[in-house]
Amino acid sequence: MRISRLKQQRLQIEEFTINSGEFWCAYGTSRSGINEFLALLEGELNQFEAETLEIPIAPTIISFSVQQEIFEDEIRNDDSDFLDRPDAGTLAYEFLPGDHLDSPLIDLFKLRSAMETGYRQLSSGQARKLLLLKALLSGVKTLIIDSPYDGLDPLACKELDQVFRQLKGRDLQILALVRNVEDIPEWCSHLAVFQKGILSEQGELTTILPMLQESKHNGTKIVFADAFQKKESADREPLPNELIRMRNGFAGYGDTTLFTGLNLVVNRGEHTLITGHNGCGKSTLLHILTGDNPKCYANDLALFGIQRGSGESIWQLKRHMGIVSPEIHRSYRVPGSALHVVLSGLFDSIGLYQRVTATQQREARQWLAAMDMAEHAQTPFRKLSYGDQRLVLIARALIKQPPLLILDEPTQGLDSGCRRALLDFLESVAVDGSTTFLYVSHRQDEYRSFFKKRLQLDHYSEQ
């Protein structure tokens, strides 16, 4: 791979070369130019000129957008309506070369038990590992991975590091893109740094990383509190103190049990951190709580004092919730601008189908401005980078200042500054008690003191 004298409105690269056998990491915050660099590698960058642009033909790229494309293909090919059972879609083992189904890498990635699972049933972390496994077993020569650790539990991150350490010395070039200094892999041989739209530093990891750690790369400047206006109690519908009660909760699919015997009570102000290994059912639990999994009726579950299955409407419950999740991110496939997506949070819809008031428009624009995205109000949601899409979805969940905020790995794709800003904002909101959080995360640097409870979900797993 070789690039020289590349110029684009948001990206400049004087010289960049990756040789076979070199493992590179590219680091940059959300507005540094790294998103444009990824678009270049994916063939999606527009209006640029370059003296030299030598990118390997058909490199294997693993990114959130690639995962999204596979997910959408699986949705389009879903034959559940024509079967007498849910269509599992493409099973995990079908992604792998048929002559490598006994590979020890499958066990190293802890994916053996998921081989008969449909792609749509995999967690985002499992899907990421599956695509990486497919690339390695297929004999890839050039591998580009965007945010390799996002969505992976700590053990899976260590397993990934072990795999790449074993790959050193092979006829292979690897480029990992990260947006947090903490995520720069130690197995990389070289490091490139993007700053203010320019590839500013590059060289051997041992030389560049100490310089980077001493500098201040704090990420995008966003201030959530700028758009937050606490609602008066008179404007809120009165709710009981007990927001969630689940008795002997369970979930699974087919013959697979995700968790069982779960008793969970969340009262107002009891901000709860949910942790556990990939595939233990964290997202499934949240889907049950939000009514997006049919097990919500099979479980003994009460929300806001209302027993599920007692004739209530799911919209009656969702109006008290704000939700950010990989599932909503994947499902937001309808056309619409960033502004429309934020406004849709007022109606709990995927897409905007109702007339909005001038006041609601103003509030939505305030949220976009607070996230340094005012200029993107009319940009199509699907044209934004993954990290900017995630910021828009966070604004969508926050705009109605819900009593219950459900956040399933909300910081995926965000840089260090954005992650800190979100957690600092949640900490400030936690003090006034108007909103209670359920927060799923694998990142130990996100385990803040305002969490009053911690649910380690894999303690309820039979795996």
Side-chain angles (χ1 to χ4, degrees):
M1 180 184 300
R2 182 164 179 253
I3 303 168
S4 67
R5 292 183 173 80
L6 182 142
K7 292 184 179 180
Q8 197 257 1
Q9 182 180 5
R10 298 177 184 272
L11 177 64
Q12 294 184 42
I13 299 176
E14 182 64 24
E15 183 75 34
F16 182 63
T17 302
I18 298 181
N19 298 308
S20 179
E22 293 180 347
F23 290 9
W24 277 78
C25 175
Y27 163 78
T29 60
S30 296
R31 304 289 191 270
S32 67
I34 196 169
N35 293 329
E36 288 73 19
F37 181 54
L38 176 61
L40 172 71
L41 300 176
E42 292 178 320
E44 299 293 333
L45 188 67
N46 298 318
Q47 298 179 334
F48 71 90
E49 57 183 42
E51 183 176 293
T52 305
L53 183 61
E54 297 175 0
I55 297 176
I57 298 175
T60 296
I61 300 177
I62 300 175
S63 65
F64 288 110
S65 61
V66 169
Q67 288 183 243
Q68 177 72 8
E69 289 174 8
I70 296 173
F71 181 83
E72 293 185 13
D73 283 341
E74 291 291 302
I75 292 292
R76 282 191 290 268
N77 296 323
D78 185 359
D79 289 332
S80 296
D81 292 342
F82 306 101
L83 302 172
D84 59 356
R85 54 177 171 75
D87 182 8
T90 307
L91 303 181
Y93 79 86
E94 296 178 285
F95 282 85
L96 307 180
D99 56 345
H100 286 78
L101 295 181
D102 292 327
S103 170
L105 281 180
I106 299 176
D107 299 296
L108 185 59
F109 277 121
K110 298 294 190 294
L111 286 175
R112 182 70 63 184
S113 62
M115 285 292 98
E116 299 285 343
T117 302
Y119 181 86
R120 294 197 312 275
Q121 282 72 51
L122 297 174
S123 70
S124 59
Q126 287 176 310
R128 205 164 192 71
K129 291 195 293 183
L130 178 64
L131 297 183
L132 178 56
L133 181 62
K134 173 187 177 182
L136 296 177
L137 294 181
S138 300
V140 62
K141 295 297 184 182
T142 300
L143 179 60
I144 299 168
I145 321 169
D146 185 32
S147 302
Y149 299 111
D150 272 11
L152 297 185
D153 61 54
L155 179 58
C157 292
K158 292 180 181 178
E159 293 164 353
L160 183 62
D161 288 340
Q162 183 178 348
V163 168
F164 282 110
R165 282 194 291 267
Q166 293 178 1
L167 293 175
K168 283 192 172 182
R170 296 194 184 186
D171 182 21
L172 175 67
Q173 53 184 343
I174 295 179
L175 174 61
L177 286 75
V178 303
R179 291 159 186 79
N180 294 272
V181 173
E182 306 84 3
D183 293 342
I184 295 174
E186 53 85 20
W187 42 262
C188 283
S189 56
H190 295 73
L191 176 62
V193 178
F194 287 86
Q195 188 176 19
K196 297 180 179 180
I198 299 172
L199 176 55
S200 59
E201 302 285 347
Q202 59 179 302
E204 293 187 2
L205 179 73
T206 52
T207 300
I208 304 299
L209 184 56
M211 297 167 51
L212 178 63
Q213 291 170 333
E214 291 175 4
S215 64
K216 293 189 178 297
H217 286 257
N218 293 321
T220 310
K221 181 64 174 177
I222 59 176
V223 185
F224 291 88
D226 284 355
F228 184 78
Q229 298 174 356
K230 183 180 177 181
K231 288 188 176 182
E232 299 298 329
S233 57
D235 297 331
R236 289 184 176 274
E237 181 178 337
L239 294 174
N241 184 61
E242 184 180 274
L243 302 179
I244 299 171
R245 177 177 288 276
M246 174 180 277
R247 297 182 179 90
N248 200 27
F250 65 94
Y253 52 88
D255 297 328
T256 301
T257 297
L258 294 175
F259 59 83
T260 186
L262 173 61
N263 293 297
L264 175 65
V265 176
V266 177
N267 296 311
R268 280 186 291 178
E270 290 183 339
H271 312 296
T272 302
L273 176 67
I274 303 175
T275 58
H277 62 70
N278 289 121
C280 72
K282 300 182 298 298
S283 294
T284 301
L285 171 61
L286 299 188
H287 292 162
I288 290 172
L289 297 179
T290 60
D292 297 315
N293 185 298
K295 289 291 192 299
C296 63
Y297 297 109
N299 273 276
D300 183 355
L301 173 65
L303 297 173
F304 313 113
I306 300 173
Q307 185 70 26
R308 291 306 326 258
S310 62
E312 80 292 346
S313 161
I314 184 57
W315 306 112
Q316 182 181 355
L317 300 174
K318 278 195 172 180
R319 70 172 181 263
H320 302 306
M321 302 178 187
I323 306 167
V324 179
S325 70
E327 180 66 21
I328 285 181
H329 203 149
R330 288 194 298 260
S331 299
Y332 223 109
R333 306 188 303 275
V334 300
S337 66
L339 181 63
H340 287 164
V341 174
V342 177
L343 286 165
S344 72
L346 294 169
F347 310 103
D348 307 305
S349 58
I350 301 295
L352 184 62
Y353 310 101
Q354 301 191 42
R355 189 182 300 274
V356 296
T357 66
T359 298
Q360 290 169 334
Q361 287 242 14
R362 184 169 60 254
E363 289 176 353
R365 290 183 181 277
Q366 286 173 344
W367 277 107
L368 288 173
M371 298 187 181
D372 194 28
M373 293 190 62
E375 65 183 73
H376 293 296
Q378 300 304 326
T379 301
F381 178 74
R382 299 289 295 266
K383 294 294 185 182
L384 297 172
S385 70
Y386 185 87
D388 284 345
Q389 288 179 6
R390 183 52 61 97
L391 286 174
V392 170
L393 291 175
I394 291 172
R396 174 185 181 272
L398 293 173
I399 187 171
K400 64 179 180 181
Q401 299 170 36
L404 181 62
L405 186 58
I406 296 178
L407 302 170
D408 186 358
E409 298 194 72
T411 62
Q412 279 190 1
L414 302 187
D415 62 38
S416 302
C418 291
R419 289 196 302 110
R420 281 196 302 272
L422 175 60
L423 287 156
D424 289 347
F425 169 72
L426 293 179
E427 190 161 10
S428 66
V429 173
V431 174
D432 69 35
S434 60
T435 298
T436 301
F437 320 127
L438 290 185
Y439 193 104
V440 170
S441 178
H442 292 301
R443 301 189 66 106
Q444 294 184 0
D445 56 1
E446 294 184 356
Y447 297 178
R448 294 286 187 95
S449 60
F450 63 79
F451 290 114
K452 304 301 182 185
K453 289 185 174 182
R454 178 175 177 182
L455 171 62
Q456 187 74 22
L457 193 58
D458 47 15
H459 290 171
Y460 298 89
S461 172
E462 292 186 351
Q463 295 183 348

